[in-house]
Amino acid sequence: QHSRLWLLDNNLLAAPNAHETLTALIKEKVKVDFNQALDIRLVNDETAALLVQCSYDTFLRFSFDRLPYEPYIHQGLAALQVYNFPMSKIMIFLLVGFDTTLEEDLERISIIKSYKASPFVMKYKPVNGVEPILKRSMNELQELARWVNQPHGFYKVMTFSEWLKANMQKSGPDEIKVL
């Protein structure tokens, strides 16, 4: 009998037996870490009721890779809020540097921030020769990740433009456009 379980399934909620798996985790009272982001598009009332009964060692993780997924973010987080799941225990991964603009990235961060959930920026790295659709400055992506991912959560207390200005004073000008 283990007290903790680290699940690497990147789409557990899409499995035909997802609800049975969640029910078993609840019954066994095991602390679970859904290490890969769950698919928030599949979080309905029944799934939310099960997810809130699970015990977590860390954040409950979802992803928000593109702005058109925004309605699913609202729907899934609202379903969890009905059961009083603490938004501070939710982390939402954001893929940046593949096919989104800085403005879209900032909008997604703002949406997550409005729920008091934690965003986590993941910079796209080409795999098997698949290059990003939109070319972006690596400095811009790095600064965005630093602004969001640092433990202090600088995104909570300053805008990205303020972050860039503060850091450009320390490191000198670079190719990042200040909004």
Side-chain angles (χ1 to χ4, degrees):
Q1 173 82 3
H2 296 285
S3 61
R4 291 188 167 99
L5 182 62
W6 196 32
L7 292 176
L8 301 177
D9 187 332
N10 66 351
N11 207 351
L12 176 83
L13 297 182
N17 63 341
H19 288 180
E20 291 81 5
T21 300
L22 293 172
T23 301
L25 293 170
I26 294 163
K27 181 181 174 194
E28 295 297 323
K29 297 180 181 168
V30 64
K31 286 192 177 208
V32 65
D33 180 353
F34 296 109
N35 189 263
Q36 307 297 315
L38 296 173
D39 190 342
I40 202 157
R41 296 173 299 174
L42 301 174
V43 177
N44 56 27
D45 185 65
E46 184 181 0
T47 305
L50 291 169
L51 286 171
V52 300
Q53 292 178 66
C54 290
S55 179
Y56 299 98
D57 217 12
T58 184
F59 291 100
L60 179 55
R61 297 178 185 94
F62 297 101
S63 65
F64 184 12
D65 291 340
R66 292 176 182 82
L67 206 46
Y69 296 162
E70 180 180 357
Y72 298 109
I73 293 292
H74 294 301
Q75 173 188 315
L77 294 180
L80 291 163
Q81 285 179 320
V82 166
Y83 295 98
N84 297 314
F85 191 87
M87 294 292 108
S88 62
K89 297 296 279 177
I90 293 177
M91 177 176 282
I92 302 179
F93 296 146
L94 295 113
L95 178 65
V96 301
F98 179 67
D99 65 351
T100 59
T101 65
L102 176 60
E103 291 76 15
E104 290 170 324
D105 297 341
L106 294 173
E107 178 65 20
R108 290 183 295 151
I109 292 164
S110 177
I111 291 163
I112 294 166
K113 182 179 171 184
S114 75
Y115 279 95
K116 298 189 177 13
S118 297
F120 188 86
V121 168
M122 298 186 324
K123 298 176 293 182
Y124 178 75
K125 292 184 174 91
V127 177
N128 297 329
V130 178
E131 292 298 320
I133 293 171
L134 295 176
K135 293 286 185 189
R136 303 260 304 269
S137 157
M138 287 310 293
N139 287 340
E140 177 186 88
L141 297 173
Q142 182 61 35
E143 288 304 315
L144 186 65
R146 287 182 60 219
W147 176 60
V148 171
N149 296 351
Q150 292 209 20
H152 303 302
F154 290 109
Y155 72 93
K156 295 177 185 176
V157 296
M158 65 174 56
T159 66
F160 187 54
S161 292
E162 292 167 340
W163 167 262
L164 290 176
K165 287 176 188 172
N167 285 287
M168 287 172 71
Q169 289 172 354
K170 294 177 189 170
S171 61
D174 61 10
E175 60 187 279
I176 299 173
K177 176 179 86 173
V178 178
L179 299 176

